[in-house]
Amino acid sequence: INAPEGTRLVAMEQGVVIQMGWHWLGGNGIYVRGDVTEDVYYYAHLSAYAEGIAVGTPVLAGQLVGYVGDTGNSDVPHLHLGWMPGTGRVDLDSLSDAYPMLVELCL
């Protein structure tokens, strides 16, 4: 999702930060596991994390978690959003197309 550098990124649902850090492809990334759905949301290419965000931090839906950037293997500022529905853990084999979920949330 293309967006200006520094655009605020928020938690998709109430949950907990289960993993974060640097990867050469995704740059600065964060994984949030939803409390209700057990969905895991992956935010990649962040320019920075929000203050106070760390592994184990509980977050509320809509809470600031980071900012759009172009870290890692990226040429333009954007959010690379990964979605692992119902996995409860980081499981890259379970990545699903996030577009239908975003459409549903935005209606």
Side-chain angles (χ1 to χ4, degrees):
I1 302 170
N2 290 338
E5 178 96 17
T7 299
R8 298 165 49 94
L9 298 171
V10 299
M12 301 286 287
E13 83 175 89
Q14 179 177 314
V16 64
V17 175
I18 58 171
Q19 187 174 320
M20 59 189 294
W22 174 264
H23 185 273
W24 70 275
L25 282 174
N28 294 321
I30 186 170
Y31 294 84
V32 175
R33 181 185 63 231
D35 286 344
V36 174
T37 63
E38 291 285 308
D39 290 359
V40 174
Y41 307 94
Y42 171 53
Y43 305 76
H45 305 295
L46 280 60
S47 62
Y49 303 110
E51 187 175 330
I53 295 295
V55 173
T57 301
V59 294
L60 298 174
Q63 180 179 334
L64 180 67
V65 295
Y67 303 89
V68 168
D70 64 354
T71 58
N73 187 18
S74 171
D75 294 329
V76 297
H78 71 285
L79 168 63
H80 182 127
L81 178 64
W83 179 43
M84 293 157 258
T87 62
R89 61 187 175 82
V90 175
D91 179 5
L92 299 180
D93 291 331
S94 295
L95 276 171
S96 295
D97 180 2
Y99 184 76
M101 182 241 333
L102 290 174
V103 168
E104 184 176 326
L105 290 173
C106 293
L107 291 179

